[in-house]
Amino acid sequence: MTQITAIALENPNHFFSRVAKEIIPEDAKRHEVHCYLADNDEVLAFAVISIAALTSEILWLACAKRVRRQGIAGTLMQKIEENLFSFRGIQTIKALCCSEDTFYSEGDEQIDGTKWHSAYAFYKAQGYGLHYRLDHYWAEGSHAYVYLKRREN
C-alpha cells in the first residue's frame, strides 16, 4: 500500500495528500486493486475499482511519474477491461474526472480542472466516451465528467 500511496502523492493535480494517504488505502481495502508491476515487483501503476451488478467504476488510477507516457496505464486498463468484460460479464465501466471548470482547494492544496486534459485524452484513447457531467459531485465547485465504456457484444 505504501507504493500506491507514493504514486498518488506524485499526482498533486489529481489527488489531495489526504486522499492519497487516507481515502485511497481505505477504498483499496473495500474494493479491488489492480497493479502493473515491474520485474522487481515495484508498483508502476495502480487502479482501484468497484463492481456493482453489471457495472464497474474506476475509483482511482495513477501511474508512477518516472514511467508516464510509456503505455503502462493503458496496458493496465486493457488487462482490467479484458477481465471485466470477457470473464466477469461486466457491461459498462465508468470513470470520473474533474471538469475543466473545477477549482477546489483543501488547505493549501488545489485541484484545478484545467490540468486534467491528459486524463481526458487518456480515457478517450482507451475508447471511453464522455457521457455527462455531475455538478458539485465531490464538493461545491468540484464537478465530475463521467466517461463510459460499454462492452462490445
Side-chain angles (χ1 to χ4, degrees):
M1 191 53 59
T2 55
Q3 291 182 66
I4 289 172
T5 300
I7 290 171
L9 287 169
E10 291 179 350
N11 292 276
N13 292 327
H14 297 270
F15 308 116
F16 289 121
S17 60
R18 179 184 61 80
V19 170
K21 292 175 184 174
E22 298 171 19
I23 296 175
I24 292 174
E26 284 301 312
D27 279 348
K29 291 177 190 173
R30 291 189 297 270
H31 303 289
E32 292 185 14
V33 178
H34 297 258
C35 296
Y36 185 108
L37 301 176
D39 290 338
N40 64 356
D41 289 336
E42 174 190 7
V43 176
L44 298 179
F46 74 90
V48 178
I49 63 169
S50 68
I51 296 175
L54 298 176
T55 301
S56 179
E57 182 175 343
I58 301 162
L59 300 174
W60 309 104
L61 172 68
C63 187
K65 195 173 193 172
R66 68 179 180 76
V67 294
R68 282 192 201 135
R69 307 226 186 285
Q70 295 180 24
I72 290 172
T75 299
L76 176 62
M77 285 299 299
Q78 289 169 1
K79 296 290 183 188
I80 292 168
E81 290 167 6
E82 179 182 348
N83 175 277
L84 294 173
F85 288 144
S86 299
F87 302 110
R88 298 178 68 181
I90 297 297
Q91 298 296 309
T92 304
I93 301 174
K94 177 171 55 171
L96 279 67
C97 296
C98 283
S99 66
E100 294 173 295
D101 61 342
T102 288
F103 187 84
Y104 183 75
S105 61
E106 188 172 286
D108 60 352
E109 297 177 284
Q110 300 171 358
I111 297 290
D112 179 354
T114 62
K115 296 180 179 167
W116 279 68
H117 291 276
S118 61
Y120 309 150
F122 173 80
Y123 284 113
K124 185 176 179 182
Q126 298 300 313
Y128 289 73
L130 175 57
H131 282 261
Y132 54 94
R133 170 188 158 121
L134 299 170
D135 288 335
H136 312 290
Y137 181 72
W138 290 290
E140 184 71 29
S142 184
H143 319 294
Y145 284 152
V146 179
Y147 287 83
L148 299 175
K149 186 171 187 176
R150 300 189 196 290
R151 179 182 178 178
E152 294 178 10
N153 293 326

